[in-house]
Amino acid sequence: MRKIETSLAAATIEAPKTTAEGIGAEGVIRPAGSGRSKPTKDPYNPDFIRPLTFEEAYPKCTKEYIPVTHEGTGEVMSVPFRRIHLADTDPGCEHLDLYDTSGPQGVNPREGLPKLRKSWVGRREQKGDATPTQMWYAKQGIVTEEMAYVAAREGMDPQFVLSEVARGRAIIPSNKRHLELEPMIVGRNFKVKVNSNIGNSAVTSSIEEEVEKLQWSTLWGADTLMDLSTGKHIHQTREWIMRNAPIPVGTVPIYQALEKVDGIVENLTWEVFRETLIEQAEQGVDYFTIHAGVLLRYIPMTASRMTGIVSRGGSIHAKLCLLDHKENFAYEHWDDILDICAKYDISLSIGDGLRPGSIKDANDEAQFAELLTQGELTRRAWEKNVQVMNEGPGHVPLHKIPENMRNQLDWCSEAPFYTLGPLTTDVAPGYDHITSAIGAATIGSLGTALLCYVTPKEHLGLPNRDDVKAGLIAYRIAAHAADLAKQHPRAQEWDDALSKSRFEFRWEDQFNLAMDPITARAYHDETIDSDAGKNAHFCSMCGPKFCSMKITEDVRAYAREHGYGVDEKVFEVGMENMSKEFAKVGQVYTEETELANKLGKE
C-alpha cells in the first residue's frame, strides 16, 4: 500500500487538550479566529495528540470480550463490550454490560489498529468468490464471520442477522480492505446507531485533529464515521483515519473528485469520479454517499424553495446537470458504480441531495421525487448484491416526520433509513444538536436505523473535538430513547440500573452509569464536592430537607416497621407521621445534619 506505512516510526504524542477551541471549558468565548488551526506540515509524519483513555472517560469500567466461535471456520472471535462495575449488593446487580464502540486501547496511531479481519477476508479471497459482499453470502445461506460477530454484539441469533441482510433490511458496511474493522450492523430491527461526521476544510484543521476526532468519536459511542474532508491532504487524512478506525468509515467521493479538478465544477467528469471511487475503495472506505437521485428534471422543483439545494454533493451534481443539460452522471453510470462496490463490498448510502434545508421546504415535491428514485436505485443495487441504505432529511417539523418514514419504507422496500436529524426548528443556531436530536429520537422510534449526528456548530463552523462529543451525546440519547420506544431487547436494563442507583443514593454508581460520567460527576461536585457528599441522601437541587426520594425511603421504612403493606394506606399513614417528625426536628434526615449545616453556612 501505501506510502503512509513506510513512516510508521516512533510516535510523537502530545498531551490532550483540556479546553474546547472557540469556547473554553469555563464557558468564556475566546477571541475570533483563535480556534482556527493550520494544516499538517508533513502528512506522512503527523504529531499525534494523546487521546483521553478509556479509563479516564469511564471510571469503574472494564473492556471485556465475549468469545464467539464461527461455525463455518472454527475461528474463535473476541467480541467487545463495556462492563460497568457497581456497588449494588443485590444479587445479579453487581455490574451492567453495554455495547462498546471504543476499539482497541493503547494503540499507537502511527502503527494503526490490529487487522482483526485479515484471516476472514484472506480465506474468502482464496476461494475466489466473484461477489464477496455480505448480501451475496447471506443470499447463499452462509453466515460470515462478520454476521456472527454482529449477532453477538446485538444479542441476536446469527440466522436472524443473515435473513435481514439477505432481504436488504439491514447492512454490514465492511469493505474487504478495511481489515481493522470491528463489524457492526445497521437495520431497524437492531439497535439504533449513530454516525459522527468529521473532516477538515480549506479554512481549518489538521490530520492530528481529525484522528483525534475519530478517537473521540469511538470513545463516546459513534457507531459509524464519515470523513468529509475538503481541505488539504485529503488522501493522507483518510489513510490515517482508515488505519485507526474500528468502526465503518464513509465518504462523499465527489468532494475529493472536485478537489482533483481544482474546485472547477465544469471540469468534473465521470472518469475523474470513477478514479476517485477506486482510490477510496482501495483505502478501505466502507460506504459511499452518492447523490445519484438528483435528476435533471427534479432541479427546477427547487426554484421556489426558501433555501434551494443545501446538500454540497447535491448542488455539485445539479450544477453539472444544468451546465450541459445532461442527466446526472452518477445515475447514468449506476451499474458501473455497483460493479466497483460489489468487488470491494462497499455499501451505498444513496444521498439525499435535494433534502430540505429549512422548515418551509420540508416534504416538498423535490425531496420526495428524489426519494422515489432512491427506491429504484436501491432495487438495482440489490440485483448486484450491493448493500444499500437511503439518506433522508434534513429540516422537518415534528408533525411531518412520520410521512418521511412511511414513504421511505414503502418506496425503498424497507432498506435502512439514514437521517440527518431531522432538525425540528430553524431558530436555534448554536443548539442544533438539540433541535435535531428531538427529530432524531422521533424518526428513530418510527424505524430509522442510523442517525447522523449534528453538532452545536451546525450552520456556524467546522466542529472541533468537544463539539463532536456534544453531538454524539445528544444523538446517543436520541438513539437510546428510540430503542426504548421500540422496546428493543435489553434497552431498558440501563435505565433501570441507573434509576435504582439514584433511588438508593449510590452517587458513584449513578455517575458511572451515566452516558457521560465525567460531566455527571462534575455537575454534582460543583456544589457538593466533599467525600461526604458522595454518601449524602440529597443533592444541591433539593437540599437536605426536600428530597422526594429520601422522603419516600423514610415512608417505606416506616411502613415496614409498623407492618403496613405497600398500598395507598401506607403512604397516607407514613406521610402523616413524617410530617409530624419534620415539624419536630425541622429536617428530614438527622444523620446528615452536619453536612447539611456545613453546606448551609457556606
Side-chain angles (χ1 to χ4, degrees):
M1 141 193 132
R2 310 186 242 261
K3 187 174 179 182
I4 224 167
E5 289 192 340
T6 66
S7 61
L8 301 182
T12 303
I13 303 180
E14 300 174 356
K17 301 171 186 177
T18 56
T19 59
E21 295 165 351
I23 300 180
E26 70 287 350
V28 177
I29 298 177
R30 294 177 175 177
S34 64
R36 190 163 59 241
S37 60
K38 296 180 180 180
T40 303
K41 291 182 179 179
D42 182 355
Y44 300 103
N45 292 284
D47 291 323
F48 287 112
I49 301 161
R50 185 184 81 81
L52 189 72
T53 67
F54 180 90
E55 293 77 15
E56 289 168 336
Y58 299 112
K60 293 292 184 181
C61 289
T62 52
K63 194 174 177 73
E64 309 279 346
Y65 295 86
I66 307 168
V68 176
T69 301
H70 179 241
E71 290 187 5
T73 63
E75 179 168 345
V76 179
M77 304 177 293
S78 297
V79 180
F81 64 93
R82 175 162 65 96
R83 173 162 289 175
I84 307 174
H85 299 275
L86 304 173
D88 194 336
T89 57
D90 288 346
C93 298
E94 300 86 1
H95 61 258
L96 179 72
D97 296 338
L98 297 177
Y99 193 101
D100 179 70
T101 64
S102 61
Q105 299 299 299
V107 176
N108 185 336
R110 288 181 178 274
E111 298 173 359
L113 300 182
K115 292 178 168 43
L116 172 69
R117 299 173 63 224
K118 185 176 181 179
S119 61
W120 311 354
V121 173
R123 280 192 292 266
R124 293 197 290 259
E125 289 193 327
Q126 285 181 353
K127 291 168 60 179
D129 294 329
T131 309
T133 71
Q134 296 296 315
M135 174 173 266
W136 184 83
Y137 287 115
K139 287 179 178 178
Q140 310 309 308
I142 299 171
V143 175
T144 63
E145 292 90 339
E146 289 84 355
M147 294 177 203
Y149 193 98
V150 301
R153 291 186 96 172
E154 298 276 343
M156 300 284 192
D157 187 290
Q159 288 297 326
F160 179 71
V161 171
L162 180 147
S163 67
E164 291 292 285
V165 173
R167 67 182 294 173
R169 197 156 62 187
I171 67 171
I172 303 174
S174 50
N175 185 333
K176 67 180 184 179
R177 294 285 190 263
H178 189 185
L179 302 179
E180 302 83 355
L181 176 70
E182 294 180 347
M184 54 79 69
I185 194 164
V186 178
R188 65 191 180 98
N189 289 321
F190 301 93
K191 281 173 55 67
V192 177
K193 304 304 193 301
V194 174
N195 175 76
S196 171
N197 284 342
I198 66 170
N200 68 16
S201 75
V203 176
T204 187
S205 199
S206 63
I207 289 172
E208 293 89 339
E209 288 173 281
E210 296 311 312
V211 170
E212 184 187 29
K213 290 178 193 176
L214 160 68
Q215 295 166 331
W216 207 241
S217 296
T218 57
L219 183 65
W220 293 113
D223 298 285
T224 65
L225 177 137
M226 294 199 75
D227 173 19
L228 305 180
S229 293
T230 57
K232 288 188 176 182
H233 311 312
I234 292 178
H235 179 93
Q236 292 88 350
T237 299
R238 187 170 55 247
E239 183 69 24
W240 287 110
I241 288 171
M242 293 305 313
R243 305 288 70 84
N244 287 281
I247 58 178
V249 176
T251 63
V252 184
I254 203 164
Y255 294 171
Q256 186 182 11
L258 185 61
E259 186 267 343
K260 289 181 176 181
V261 295
D262 299 319
I264 302 171
V265 175
E266 292 87 335
N267 293 342
L268 186 54
T269 63
W270 158 247
E271 288 72 25
V272 172
F273 188 70
R274 179 180 181 277
E275 172 191 281
T276 305
L277 294 180
I278 294 172
E279 173 189 340
Q280 296 191 7
E282 282 290 327
Q283 285 186 290
V285 171
D286 299 290
Y287 61 100
F288 292 147
T289 289
I290 298 178
H291 303 85
V294 179
L295 303 187
L296 177 62
R297 63 183 178 274
Y298 299 159
I299 298 169
M301 298 176 184
T302 67
S304 60
R305 279 182 163 185
M306 172 74 76
T307 50
I309 298 175
V310 296
S311 160
R312 287 189 292 193
S315 65
I316 293 166
H317 280 291
K319 185 172 182 179
L320 279 169
C321 288
L322 294 175
L323 282 171
D324 298 315
H325 204 73
K326 291 182 178 178
E327 191 53 274
N328 184 335
F329 66 59
Y331 182 83
E332 294 285 284
H333 289 274
W334 191 242
D335 285 338
D336 298 316
I337 293 170
L338 295 176
D339 289 340
I340 294 170
C341 291
K343 179 180 177 182
Y344 293 89
D345 196 6
I346 297 170
S347 300
L348 281 165
S349 180
I350 305 178
D352 54 340
L354 300 180
R355 66 176 178 268
S358 61
I359 293 297
K360 185 176 187 300
D361 298 336
N363 293 21
D364 69 357
E365 181 184 24
Q367 177 193 337
F368 284 146
E370 182 187 26
L371 183 61
L372 197 61
T373 300
Q374 283 195 40
E376 172 208 332
L377 296 170
T378 295
R379 289 180 287 276
R380 286 172 59 186
W382 288 346
E383 290 173 4
K384 295 201 172 192
N385 298 303
V386 173
Q387 302 183 96
V388 175
M389 56 184 170
N390 307 121
E391 293 189 10
H395 293 238
V396 182
L398 282 170
H399 65 288
K400 291 187 176 182
I401 288 176
E403 184 181 10
N404 282 267
M405 193 72 246
R406 287 194 301 269
N407 289 347
Q408 191 275 334
L409 288 172
D410 184 17
W411 300 347
C412 300
S413 304
E414 297 188 89
F417 206 18
Y418 169 28
T419 62
L420 179 73
L423 286 75
T424 55
T425 178
D426 294 337
V427 301
Y431 297 91
D432 278 331
H433 59 311
I434 298 173
T435 67
S436 61
I438 294 168
T442 303
I443 204 164
S445 71
L446 296 173
T448 285
L450 178 60
L451 304 173
C452 183
Y453 86 165
V454 172
T455 76
K457 288 273 183 66
E458 185 76 5
H459 306 113
L460 302 173
L462 190 74
N464 62 32
R465 180 200 68 179
D466 296 312
D467 301 320
V468 166
K469 179 184 174 184
L472 276 171
I473 296 299
Y475 269 68
R476 286 187 62 207
I477 293 168
H480 183 69
D483 285 339
L484 288 170
K486 296 194 302 179
Q487 301 180 59
H488 188 79
R490 299 191 62 189
Q492 193 175 322
E493 289 180 8
W494 192 359
D495 297 77
D496 292 346
L498 197 147
S499 295
K500 189 172 186 288
S501 71
R502 179 177 290 153
F503 189 77
E504 294 173 358
F505 296 99
R506 288 182 282 110
W507 287 104
E508 290 292 346
D509 283 354
Q510 187 179 165
F511 303 150
N512 296 332
L513 282 162
M515 203 169 280
D516 176 5
I518 295 173
T519 299
R521 180 175 282 101
Y523 280 177
H524 174 272
D525 290 355
E526 275 184 14
T527 48
I528 304 180
D529 60 350
S530 67
D531 290 339
K534 303 298 192 303
N535 297 311
H537 285 210
F538 63 90
C539 70
S540 62
M541 169 68 80
C542 297
K545 298 182 181 181
F546 296 98
C547 177
S548 60
M549 290 191 178
K550 176 56 181 170
I551 295 172
T552 302
E553 190 178 77
D554 292 340
V555 168
R556 287 182 174 178
Y558 182 91
R560 286 193 299 270
E561 182 181 341
H562 291 80
Y564 293 105
V566 181
D567 56 25
E568 289 298 321
K569 185 65 176 175
V570 173
F571 289 99
E572 289 177 16
V573 174
M575 289 302 290
E576 180 180 347
N577 281 278
M578 287 307 303
S579 177
K580 293 175 182 176
E581 290 297 313
F582 182 81
K584 282 195 297 182
V585 303
Q587 58 190 34
V588 177
Y589 3 98
T590 57
E591 71 272 19
E592 289 161 354
T593 300
E594 184 178 347
L595 176 61
N597 289 339
K598 179 178 181 295
L599 292 170
K601 290 174 182 177
E602 291 177 352

